């Protein structure tokens, strides 16, 4: 710990965290918010407290907690969002004097990665949430995390490029959800305002991915909020870098038509017009005088063709009616064809967008599941997905076949329904007819006569005499009870011993299987390295000494002269006498176990 004067609150919190359990640390770290937000702190005092927090490792504790499973924390996602906010405030304004390379090159990028991963998990749970209360909570926590990210790269400008190049940031931006998409576009807007030259620092593939997503949002949605945010981002990019305007006109040739047709009159015409002016200015500056000459030639040709047409119509007044009729018919036909073509194109575009959304949703789910699934379970997961796909195809095929058979059997189904209706009517008729019949008078059941009652009582008495009830004394009953208790205790004891024996057998089998697998996977002697020796060496000194003695004894036995091995003619080559080796099976070390 440092020897300089330390804030007593930070010192007490560090001591409390050191003595606390692991599950209580997240809630203790939340006390940093009260320490940092104290109204009596000035600029220098605040920086001193942040320096103490970093020196005592409390910021590292916050980062480690953010890397854990947040569903297992106390307070769950709310605690994780608050810790993200605290961590960003602790890093902004902090000037590390000892080992600044560790702080700026390793610690800050690790904080950015952890915050983006936390934001991705909150976004997934917000999309999956069903209740309004849960969605509001997850959206609030998601906004807290994004605000922490903005605060962090606002204090450290070099992190803006790190955020933009991160794969998790692109995954957060590629979403069809309106609320989270608007939040992520606001984060991108803050990045551009913080560092306008960041777009020239990132890779070309990353820049194209971001621009493709923004243009896709303009073309695939009709939400004014999403359109306004995407338009403002494109305008800010075009103003910050002239090279991007050239990229817009070359890569997205239909962007001008999309902006003018779909997003004009939606409440942000000022930004749309500014962006269109930049695009048209870039286009006109490239064409120059050649475009003006081309337009002038088109005007002259149109005037000349009109003059020739009017002159021909004056000479042929009788053909005017026929010409008009044919013109109107042709125009109507062209309009019909154009309308049909537009409908087909709209339907095709809608189907393509639905397919793209489905594919994007599928890829998002795959990415989310691949983050959760362990690497050893990927093949099993892919096999399960193939089985589910096969079941889906079979289900659709069976449904189609059942519908086809149903249409073929429609006539027989009508006959069956008609028969059911007739049977139902007949049953109702018979039921009404049965109810109209008069009921027969009630007859009292016949009872037993006195003679029958006496004969039955005599039979009962004779049976009791022939089969008297056995009576048992109290001592005999107690003795039988003690015998039963003894047998029950013996059975329970034997059952407990059998269970322990079974557990011992299972443990031995598991140990044998592990040792066999380790031996089977061991490399050959020619390929063995020093790292492989550690897997077959025991940490216990007596076991290692015993193994070394057994090995030396085995080598000594192989070097014996032939006259010392005269009694071993009938032994196998791999078998060595126990008295020569003087070792036991339980002391042999295999794979880190005795």
């Amino acid at each position: 710990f440092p020897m300089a004067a330390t804030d007593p609150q930070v010192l007490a919190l560090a001591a409390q965290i050191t003595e606390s359990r692991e599950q209580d640390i997240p809630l203790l770290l939340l006390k940093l918010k009260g320490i940092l937000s104290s109204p009596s702190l000035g600029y220098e005092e605040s920086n001193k407290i942040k320096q103490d927090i970093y020196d005592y490792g409390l910021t590292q504790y916050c980062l480690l907690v953010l890397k854990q499973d947040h569903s297992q924390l106390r307070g769950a996602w709310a605690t994780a969002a608050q810790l993200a906010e605290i961590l960003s405030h602790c890093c902004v304004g902090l000037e590390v004097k000892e080992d600044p390379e560790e702080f700026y090159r390793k610690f800050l990028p690790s904080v950015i990665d952890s915050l983006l991963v936390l934001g991705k998990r909150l976004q997934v749970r917000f999309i999956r949430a069903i209740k309004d209360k849960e969605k509001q909570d997850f959206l609030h926590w998601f906004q807290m995390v994004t605000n922490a990210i903005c605060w962090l790269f606002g204090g450290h400008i070099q992190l803006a490029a790190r955020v933009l190049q991160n794969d998790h940031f692109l995954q957060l931006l590629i979403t069809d959800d309106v609320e989270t998409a608007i939040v992520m576009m606001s984060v991108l807007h803050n990045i551009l305002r913080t560092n306008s030259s960041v777009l020239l620092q990132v890779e070309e593939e990353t820049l194209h991915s971001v621009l493709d997503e923004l243009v896709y949002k303009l073309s695939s949605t009709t939400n004014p909020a999403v359109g306004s945010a995407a338009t403002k981002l494109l305008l800010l990019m075009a103003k910050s870098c002239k090279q991007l305007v050239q990229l817009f006109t070359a890569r997205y040739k239909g962007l001008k038509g999309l902006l003018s047709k779909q997003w004009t009159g939606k409440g942000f015409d000022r930004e749309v017009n500014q962006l269109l002016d930049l695009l048209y200015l870039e286009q006109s500056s490239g064409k120059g005088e050649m475009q003006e000459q081309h337009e002038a030639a088109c005007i002259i040709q149109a005037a000349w063709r009109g003059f020739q047409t009017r002159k021909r119509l004056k000479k042929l007044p009788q053909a005017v009616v026929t010409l008009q009729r044919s013109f109107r018919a042709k125009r109507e036909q062209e309009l019909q064809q154009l309308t049909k073509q537009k409908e087909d194109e709209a339907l095709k575009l809608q189907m393509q967008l639905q397919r793209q959304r489905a594919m994007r949703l599928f890829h998002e789910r795959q990415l989310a599941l691949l983050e959760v699934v362990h690497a050893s379970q990927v093949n099993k997961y892919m096999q399960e997905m193939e089985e589910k796909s096969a079941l889906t195809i079979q289900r659709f095929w069976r449904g189609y076949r059942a519908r086809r058979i149903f249409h073929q059997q429609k006539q027989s189904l009508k006959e069956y329904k008609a028969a059911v209706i007739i049977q139902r009517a007949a049953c109702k008729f018979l039921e009404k007819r049965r109810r109209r019949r008069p009921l027969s008078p009630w007859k009292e059941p016949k009872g037993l006569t006195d003679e029958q009652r006496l004969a039955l009582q005599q039979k009962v008495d004779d049976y009791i005499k022939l089969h008297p009830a056995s009576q048992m004394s109290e001592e005999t009953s107690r003795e039988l009870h003690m015998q039963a208790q003894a047998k029950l205790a013996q059975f329970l004891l034997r059952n407990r011993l059998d269970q322990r024996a079974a557990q011992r057998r299972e443990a031995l089998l598991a140990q044998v299987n592990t040792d066999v697998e380790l031996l089977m996977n061991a490399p050959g002697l020619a390929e063995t390295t020093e790292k492989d020796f550690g897997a077959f060496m025991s940490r216990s000194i007596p076991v290692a000494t015993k193994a070394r003695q057994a090995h030396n004894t085995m080598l000594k036995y192989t070097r014996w002269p032939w006259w010392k091995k005269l009694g071993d003619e009938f032994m196998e080559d791999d078998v060595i006498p126990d008295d020569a080796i003087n070792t036991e099976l339980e002391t042999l070390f295999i794979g880190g176990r005795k």
Side-chain angles (χ1 to χ4, degrees):
F1 279 27
M3 299 302 294
T6 307
D7 186 80
Q9 295 180 350
V10 177
L11 184 61
L13 182 59
Q16 191 175 2
I17 290 176
T18 305
E19 298 174 356
S20 300
R21 297 178 300 174
E22 184 178 358
Q23 55 269 25
D24 297 333
I25 292 178
L27 296 180
L28 293 175
L29 290 174
L30 295 180
K31 296 181 179 180
L32 291 173
K33 186 174 182 181
I35 297 174
L36 293 172
S37 61
S38 178
S40 61
L41 293 177
Y43 179 76
E44 296 181 357
E45 290 82 357
S46 178
N47 291 341
K48 180 62 173 59
I49 287 179
K50 292 179 182 179
Q51 184 67 40
D52 293 340
I53 291 173
Y54 180 78
D55 292 339
Y56 278 89
L58 298 182
T59 53
Q60 288 82 350
Y61 266 117
C62 293
L63 181 59
L64 291 176
V65 171
L66 288 179
K67 291 182 179 180
Q68 295 177 1
D69 185 6
H70 308 299
S71 60
Q72 303 296 331
L73 297 178
R74 289 190 178 181
W77 300 103
T79 303
Q82 293 179 15
L83 287 177
E85 189 176 12
I86 292 171
L87 183 58
S88 64
H89 281 78
C90 290
C91 293
V92 174
L94 177 61
E95 297 179 359
V96 179
K97 298 180 181 179
E98 296 181 0
D99 197 6
E101 187 80 12
E102 176 75 17
F103 178 73
Y104 290 104
R105 295 292 181 86
K106 295 182 179 180
F107 183 74
L108 288 180
S110 179
V111 172
I112 285 292
D113 294 341
S114 300
L115 293 180
L116 289 173
V117 171
L118 176 60
K120 179 60 180 174
R121 293 177 178 175
L122 288 172
Q123 185 189 50
V124 170
R125 279 161 179 79
F126 168 74
I127 295 173
R128 293 178 181 174
I130 300 175
K131 299 180 181 180
D132 295 338
K133 183 65 171 59
E134 292 181 358
K135 294 184 77 68
Q136 292 177 1
D137 292 341
F138 279 115
L139 181 60
H140 175 64
W141 298 330
F142 180 73
Q143 290 175 347
M144 289 177 62
V145 174
T146 54
N147 292 335
I149 295 172
C150 295
W151 182 262
L152 189 57
F153 67 70
H156 301 278
I157 303 177
Q158 73 276 8
L159 294 178
R162 175 80 181 189
V163 174
L164 200 59
Q165 290 178 346
N166 197 295
D167 294 336
H168 295 289
F169 176 78
L170 190 58
Q171 294 175 10
L172 287 168
L173 187 62
I174 299 176
T175 179
D176 290 331
D177 183 69
V178 176
E179 285 133 350
T180 56
I182 292 174
V183 173
M184 290 311 301
M185 284 191 286
S186 67
V187 173
L188 182 58
H189 193 275
N190 291 332
I191 291 175
L192 296 177
R193 292 184 63 183
T194 303
N195 188 1
S196 59
S197 62
V198 70
L199 296 175
L200 301 177
Q201 301 174 6
V202 299
E203 298 179 358
E204 185 178 358
E205 183 180 358
T206 303
L207 178 60
H208 289 175
S209 300
V210 173
L211 294 178
D212 291 345
E213 180 60 25
L214 294 177
V215 176
Y216 172 78
K217 290 185 185 301
L218 287 174
S219 62
S220 63
T221 184
T222 57
N223 193 314
V226 178
S228 175
T231 304
K232 291 178 181 178
L233 277 174
L234 292 176
L235 179 60
L236 184 59
M237 291 178 182
K239 288 182 178 179
S240 61
C241 184
K242 189 177 180 181
Q243 298 176 1
L244 293 179
V245 182
Q246 300 175 359
L247 180 62
F248 290 164
T249 56
R251 187 177 177 87
Y252 311 106
K253 297 181 179 179
L255 181 59
K256 296 187 292 295
L258 177 65
L259 290 172
S260 59
K261 292 180 181 179
Q262 186 172 345
W263 295 107
T264 302
K266 295 299 179 72
F268 49 95
D269 293 343
R270 179 182 175 185
E271 289 80 4
V272 174
N273 293 331
Q274 290 180 3
L275 184 57
L276 287 174
D277 291 341
L278 292 174
L279 295 176
Y280 281 120
L281 181 61
E282 178 64 26
Q283 185 177 5
S284 62
S285 63
K287 294 182 178 179
E289 186 178 356
M290 186 180 294
Q291 184 179 3
E292 295 178 359
Q293 294 178 358
H294 177 71
E295 292 176 355
C298 291
I299 293 173
I300 294 172
Q301 291 175 0
W304 171 252
R305 291 192 186 103
F307 170 73
Q308 290 290 335
T309 303
R310 288 190 296 272
K311 185 177 179 180
R312 189 167 54 251
L313 288 176
K314 288 180 181 179
K315 292 180 180 180
L316 301 173
Q318 297 179 355
V320 173
V321 178
T322 306
L323 182 61
Q324 289 178 352
R325 187 184 300 114
S326 62
F327 173 74
R328 289 167 183 162
K330 185 178 180 181
R331 185 176 61 180
E332 185 178 358
Q333 185 179 2
E334 289 179 354
L335 289 175
Q336 291 179 357
Q337 291 179 357
L338 184 61
T339 305
K340 185 177 180 181
Q341 184 179 1
K342 288 183 178 180
E343 292 177 355
D344 294 341
E345 290 179 356
L347 181 61
K348 184 178 179 180
L349 180 61
Q350 185 178 3
M351 295 296 293
Q352 186 177 2
L353 289 176
Q354 290 179 357
R355 192 179 299 110
Q356 290 179 356
R357 289 172 183 169
M359 289 296 294
R360 289 178 59 185
L361 181 61
F362 174 73
H363 288 308
E364 287 181 2
R365 290 179 178 173
Q366 272 197 337
L367 287 173
L369 289 174
L370 288 177
E371 290 179 358
V372 179
V373 177
H374 194 266
S376 61
Q377 301 293 327
V378 173
N379 294 331
K380 182 179 179 182
Y381 167 73
M382 297 302 295
Q383 185 178 1
E384 291 179 356
M385 291 298 296
E386 291 178 357
E387 293 178 356
K388 290 182 180 179
S389 302
L391 291 176
T392 303
I393 295 171
Q394 293 175 0
R395 185 171 66 253
F396 277 97
W397 164 250
R398 289 168 183 158
Y400 166 73
R401 186 176 60 182
R403 286 190 295 273
R404 187 175 62 182
I405 295 173
F406 172 75
H407 287 298
Q408 293 176 357
Q409 298 179 352
K410 198 171 184 179
Q411 185 63 29
S412 59
L413 182 62
K414 288 183 178 179
E415 295 177 357
Y416 172 75
K417 289 183 177 179
V420 171
I421 293 172
I422 294 172
Q423 290 176 359
R424 188 183 297 116
C427 291
K428 289 182 179 179
F429 171 75
L430 294 175
E431 181 67 20
K432 290 180 180 179
R433 189 173 180 182
R434 185 182 62 80
R435 290 178 180 178
R436 291 176 183 175
R437 292 180 181 176
L439 298 175
S440 59
W442 181 78
K443 296 181 180 180
E444 185 179 0
K446 297 181 179 180
L448 296 175
T449 59
D450 295 338
E451 296 178 357
Q452 293 176 349
R453 190 176 291 106
L454 291 175
L456 186 60
Q457 184 66 34
Q458 185 64 33
K459 289 181 180 179
V460 171
D461 295 338
D462 295 340
Y463 182 83
I464 292 174
K465 290 179 181 180
L466 292 174
H467 303 86
S470 60
Q471 296 181 358
M472 184 181 298
S473 62
E474 185 177 357
E475 296 179 355
T476 307
S477 177
R478 187 175 299 132
E479 184 179 357
L480 287 176
H481 176 71
M482 295 299 294
Q483 292 177 1
Q485 290 293 330
K487 290 183 178 180
L488 179 60
Q490 185 179 3
F491 171 76
L492 293 176
L493 180 61
R494 189 185 303 112
N495 189 18
R496 190 179 297 108
L497 294 175
D498 293 339
Q499 289 180 357
R500 291 180 180 176
Q503 291 178 358
R504 191 178 296 107
R505 285 195 298 271
E506 291 177 0
L508 290 175
L509 285 175
Q511 180 180 355
V512 169
N513 291 333
T514 305
D515 297 340
V516 169
E517 183 179 358
L518 186 61
L519 289 174
M520 293 295 292
N521 295 331
L525 293 176
E527 302 174 357
T528 305
T529 60
E530 294 181 359
K531 295 182 179 179
D532 298 330
F533 293 158
F536 297 89
M537 295 177 66
S538 175
R539 298 181 182 177
S540 177
I541 297 177
V543 173
T545 305
K546 192 68 177 180
R548 190 180 299 108
Q549 292 176 358
H551 180 69
N552 295 332
T553 305
M554 186 186 300
L555 292 178
K556 189 182 297 182
Y557 177 76
T558 55
R559 296 170 184 171
W560 280 357
W562 62 271
W563 50 271
K564 284 189 178 183
K565 300 179 182 180
L566 288 178
D568 301 336
E569 290 86 3
F570 300 100
M571 294 177 60
E572 296 180 0
D573 295 338
D574 298 336
V575 178
I576 300 175
D578 293 339
D579 54 353
I581 297 178
N582 192 16
T583 184
E584 296 180 357
L585 180 60
E586 289 80 7
T587 61
L588 182 61
F589 174 77
I590 297 178
R593 294 181 177 83
K594 293 183 180 180

